Amino acid sequence: MSEIATERLAADEPGITRAAEILRQGGLVAFPTETVYGLGGDACNDRAVARIYEAKGRPSFNPLIVHLADLDAVKALVEWTDLADAAAAAFWPGPLTMVLPLRAGAPVSKLVTAGLGSLAVRMPANPAARALLRGFGGPVAAPSANHSGRISPTRAAHVLDTLDGRIEAVLDGGACEVGLESTILGLAGKPTLLRPGRITTEALSEALGRPVLARRDREAISAPGQLASHYAPRARVRLNASEWHAGEARLGFGKTEGDCDLNLSPTGDLVEAAANLFEYLHRLDASGAEAIAVMPIPHVGLGVAINDRLNRAAAPRE
Ligand code: TXA
Ligand code: MG
């Protein structure tokens, strides 16, 4: 990946205007929240979301949290419930994330949910974050703004330690107050604590008027891509296809010998391939084919995460 000149922006009006403009252009902006700095990109832009994974050097597509400035915008993306309403009234804006069923037709990139049927939503309290979200006017996907495997950043300087030259800008809003990622409350089923944080299980139970379950399976949440409910195509998936078999849907990459049904990236661009991955698997699955054959994808850069996802899709089913 070539170096980008990362802009240092102050959290004032011109800085926030510039940051919102970068997001609208599909660029990446690290911004402060009250928990940790987030690496933000337009959640409706497949390519911007693919670039978040690339900049972080993540070896897999974990679902991302979407950040919004107001409740109406949240309700447009997820199936809102009375319990969600109670939690929002008590803790939003603030360091709470809720996982709710994704609304049919919500314009969020499939790369944000990693193909899941639920979406993590959060309304941060940090004034610079709120100003940026209002200025941009749409959902912003943002994992913590650190290179994969490094600790979460609580200052703009920490962000630059691992992401300088890999993102368009960092909005410097000083030190984060909480310094620990948001509490995640699962509301797609029974209320369940998916990640502990500043807002405790007890406080959540009280606000909801019913007990919040501790999550049972640690593994499932540290790597939600492994959840049984995680999207896998109905069709069998055959990897590293060097020729096509009759009756298969054909997913190409780069130059192809003969026809394919869809090509992740005719030019062999891994960011483009990642951006198209979930959408194209979905479309080929919907075509009704018994199997999907996928051409080899190189195991470099974003190709590692793409192969991780494809391997899971191809793994034997119960
Ligand atoms: O405090 C925070 O939440 C920070 C700031 C930037 O807002 N963001 C953050 O994002 O910690 P990230 O990507 O590092 O963590 C997202 C977590 C992951 O553990 C992921 O598994 C979980 O949220 N998650 C996201 N969508 C989910 C879903 N649909 N179901 C279950 N877990 C989900
Ligand atoms: Mg993180």
Side-chain angles (χ1 to χ4, degrees):
M1 194 177 92
S2 54
E3 283 268 309
I4 302 168
T6 302
E7 295 177 39
R8 276 78 164 159
L9 302 172
D12 54 14
E13 215 189 290
I16 283 162
T17 303
R18 174 69 187 137
E21 179 182 58
I22 292 171
L23 288 176
R24 273 193 291 275
Q25 291 164 349
L28 303 184
V29 179
F31 64 98
T33 80
E34 66 276 31
T35 58
V36 300
Y37 273 74
L39 176 54
D42 179 351
C44 300
N45 178 334
D46 292 322
R47 199 181 165 87
V49 181
R51 283 200 51 228
I52 292 178
Y53 288 103
E54 185 192 41
K56 281 184 67 84
R58 268 199 181 173
S60 61
F61 296 116
N62 289 331
L64 304 176
I65 298 171
V66 158
H67 298 65
L68 297 126
D70 66 85
L71 217 48
D72 285 342
V74 174
K75 289 176 183 173
L77 300 182
V78 292
E79 302 285 353
W80 199 242
T81 64
D82 289 346
L83 288 178
D85 217 44
F91 303 112
W92 273 3
L96 175 70
T97 295
M98 291 190 243
V99 173
L100 289 154
L102 184 66
R103 224 177 225 286
V108 172
S109 165
K110 285 194 173 67
L111 213 45
V112 166
T113 56
L116 290 169
S118 57
L119 180 69
V121 286
R122 156 155 150 74
M123 195 191 291
N126 179 287
R130 289 183 65 71
L132 175 61
L133 292 170
R134 273 196 305 270
F136 173 61
V140 173
S144 53
N146 52 282
H147 200 264
S148 179
R150 307 291 291 276
I151 54 169
S152 294
T154 55
R155 291 180 177 279
H158 300 166
V159 174
L160 292 168
D161 282 346
T162 68
L163 296 180
D164 196 11
R166 302 177 70 87
I167 63 178
E168 274 70 23
V170 58
L171 186 64
D172 189 347
C176 301
E177 188 197 310
V178 178
L180 183 70
E181 283 92 346
S182 61
T183 303
I184 305 184
L185 173 64
L187 287 177
K190 283 189 183 155
T192 306
L193 188 78
L194 299 180
R195 181 171 73 183
R198 159 76 62 94
I199 295 169
T200 63
T201 312
E202 293 72 28
L204 286 170
S205 298
E206 190 175 319
L208 300 187
R210 63 155 85 182
V212 169
L213 308 176
R215 98 182 115 79
R216 254 178 294 145
D217 184 0
R218 295 199 140 263
E219 191 54 22
I221 283 317
S222 58
Q226 280 154 9
L227 282 175
S229 60
H230 196 275
Y231 171 71
R234 179 200 46 77
R236 188 166 52 77
V237 176
R238 186 169 69 87
L239 302 181
N240 301 313
S242 52
E243 77 293 319
W244 307 122
H245 298 169
E248 286 178 333
R250 298 159 298 182
L251 185 56
F253 175 79
K255 272 214 178 74
T256 60
E257 297 294 336
D259 288 344
C260 54
D261 294 297
L262 290 171
N263 193 320
L264 289 169
S265 171
T267 60
D269 173 355
L270 289 165
V271 174
E272 183 182 17
N276 290 329
L277 180 65
F278 286 95
E279 177 63 28
Y280 285 7
L281 280 176
H282 218 89
R283 276 202 230 161
L284 293 180
D285 205 24
S287 76
E290 176 263 328
I292 301 171
V294 190
M295 281 177 67
I297 314 284
H299 286 258
V300 294
L302 261 182
V304 175
I306 295 172
N307 279 293
D308 170 77
R309 181 82 279 270
L310 286 171
N311 279 313
R312 289 185 201 183
R317 322 276 165 75
E318 285 95 65

